[in-house]
């Protein structure tokens, strides 16, 4: 679009993701070892889950099962665990695809590492499925500092999420 219509485009992220402090995690009173499986909805969830495990000095047992929304997230787990087909499961591309896999493992006690403003559809689907799960807020969306853009004028702003609009109002 930029070359075709002779436009000048600046990409500037209005939000970024930060992990919660260990102190904030401990206030949730969640024991990771009480769970036999973890559901990962993103790479951020995996990164922050293993970060919290490291900071709390929790050794994740070899028997832990991992359920990932997509195959890409499942392969990303190779950064943290040895990839074995019997303990890493994945759906298609959406959380609804993962529900079919979760149906076969209803007896597991799931941990759902998530962001502070998780879409309500995910807990609703898990509740409807009837699985036992615990929601753990391990990371949050934070507004980026945009004070350097105060004197810049744009003709069009494009947002990719409601959090970006919230950040715009917080900054200006």
């Amino acid at each position: 679009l930029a070359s075709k219509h002779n436009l000048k485009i600046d990409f500037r992220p209005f939000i970024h993701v930060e992990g919660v402090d260990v102190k904030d995690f401990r206030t949730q009173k969640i024991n990771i070892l009480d769970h036999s499986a973890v559901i990962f909805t993103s790479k951020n969830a995996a990164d922050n889950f293993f970060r919290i495990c490291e900071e709390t000095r929790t050794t994740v047992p070899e028997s832990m099962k991992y359920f990932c929304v997509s195959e890409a997230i499942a392969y990303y787990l190779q950064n943290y665990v040895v990839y074995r087909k019997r303990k890493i499961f994945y759906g298609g591309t959406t959380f609804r695809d993962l529900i079919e896999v979760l149906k076969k493992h209803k007896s597991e006690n799931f941990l759902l590492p998530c962001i502070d403003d998780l879409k309500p559809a995910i807990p609703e689907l898990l509740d409807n499925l009837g699985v036992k799960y615990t929601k753990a807020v391990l990371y949050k969306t934070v507004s980026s500092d945009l004070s350097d853009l105060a004197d810049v004028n744009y003709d069009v702003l494009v947002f990719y999420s409601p959090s970006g609009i919230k950040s715009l109002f917080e900054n200006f």
Side-chain angles (χ1 to χ4, degrees), residues 12 24 30 37 40 45 47 69-71 78 82 99 110 115 123 126 128 132 134 143 145:
R12 182 67 189 270
D24 294 334
I30 296 171
F40 291 120
D47 288 338
V69 170
S70 68
E71 187 176 12
Q78 289 180 353
V82 177
I99 292 295
F110 294 97
I115 197 159
L126 290 172
N128 291 342
K132 185 177 177 187
T134 306
S143 299
D145 180 23

Side-chain angles (χ1 to χ4, degrees), residues 38-128:
V38 183
I39 301 172
F40 291 120
T41 56
S42 69
K43 291 179 182 179
N44 281 326
D47 288 338
N48 285 290
F49 171 76
F50 289 105
R51 177 188 59 84
I52 287 290
C53 287
E54 184 179 313
E55 291 178 7
T56 59
R57 296 187 180 118
T58 302
T59 304
V60 181
E62 291 286 324
S63 61
M64 183 72 78
K65 293 181 181 176
Y66 303 99
F67 294 83
C68 305
V69 170
S70 68
E71 187 176 12
I73 298 168
Y75 284 127
Y76 185 74
L77 286 182
Q78 289 180 353
N79 295 334
Y80 300 105
V81 296
V82 177
Y83 191 89
R84 291 194 191 122
K85 289 185 178 183
R86 291 188 184 152
K87 71 178 198 173
I88 298 178
F89 307 91
Y90 57 88
T93 55
T94 65
F95 195 80
R96 288 190 186 280
D97 299 335
L98 184 62
I99 292 295
E100 295 303 317
V101 178
L102 293 174
K103 284 180 182 177
K104 298 173 186 171
H105 300 273
K106 279 189 170 183
S107 62
E108 301 290 339
N109 187 7
F110 294 97
L111 178 69
L112 176 65
C114 61
I115 197 159
D116 57 347
D117 57 351
L118 179 68
K119 295 177 186 175
I122 293 173
E124 286 173 7
L125 286 169
L126 290 172
D127 289 339
N128 291 342

